[in-house]
Amino acid sequence: MKIHHLNCGSVRQIEAPGLPTAHAVNHCLLAETEHDGLVLVETGLGLDDVRDPTATLGGDWVTMAQPLLTEDETAVRQVARLGFAPEDVRHVVVTHLDVDHCGGLPDFPDARVHVLAAELDAALAEAPSFRYRPAHWAHGPKWETYEPPAGDDWFGFASVALTGVSADIRLIPLGGHTAGHAGVAVHDGTRWLLHCGDAYYYHRELVADPEPHPVLDVVQTGSEVHHDLRLGTQARLRELARRHSDEVTIFSAHDPWELARLERG
């Protein structure tokens, strides 16, 4: 399976010790599968967001995030540059439905959209709000929803196989950030990639002596729905990184330095 790492929406610039200043990103994956067409993990910001950000993203979010808003960064334009059509994206998997994770859903209206049921329920109940914007699903997505399973069949985590997808791609419940937040695990034929969404924001949060980012940590603590559960999720991810780094590559949604490392291979 060929995997592309995409930035589908640069936002405000951030700094970190010993690293180049960079815009925070919206890290998406595009998987070219053998039998399931293209599978897009996260969508970042979409064309409607770029063209009318106040209407779709909300003015408060735009002021906070400071998005660059360029069509070239939308998933649909990047899919086209890789030689594909929007309808080739047959499945979209989202970690959650915050504005910067599902803004591109209207650009792929024929795709099946996979998400934990609790997340969709929360989004529909709370929208319009700072984090959930109904413009992103006004087109009527083909939702596939899932309940968190019992057990720990994936490196000590529960996992959910995707309906109608033969490739080994799974939702991994990672609670704390939103009501139904999940990671997305993709096996590329050699090793696992775990897109952790907003379970953490900065790569130094997963080291033995965690170091939150001073700007990103304000965002993640301000947007959490369950503080202790979020910290517990991070502790489990830290242990996963410590014990299984030879089998699993872990990354989050907004860390630009993680994306740069993975783009370099």
Side-chain angles (χ1 to χ4, degrees), residues 147-160 171-173 236:
E147 297 295 333
D152 56 359
D153 62 316
W154 191 86
F155 298 99
F157 292 77
S159 75
V160 186
L171 282 166
I172 310 294
R236 296 177 68 205

Side-chain angles (χ1 to χ4, degrees), residues 3 20-21 52 77 89 101 113-114 141 162 167 179 188 210 213 216 233 263:
I3 306 289
T21 299
D52 194 356
R77 295 291 186 248
V89 177
H101 294 259
V113 182
H114 304 262
L162 302 183
D188 67 2
H213 188 278
L216 296 176
T233 292
E263 286 177 328

Side-chain angles (χ1 to χ4, degrees), residues 9 17 75 78 87 111 114 124-125 128 139 154 170 185 203 226 233 261:
Q78 295 191 63
E87 55 268 26
H114 304 262
L124 295 179
H139 62 288
W154 191 86
R170 310 183 190 189
H203 59 279
H226 196 300
T233 292
R261 172 175 53 82

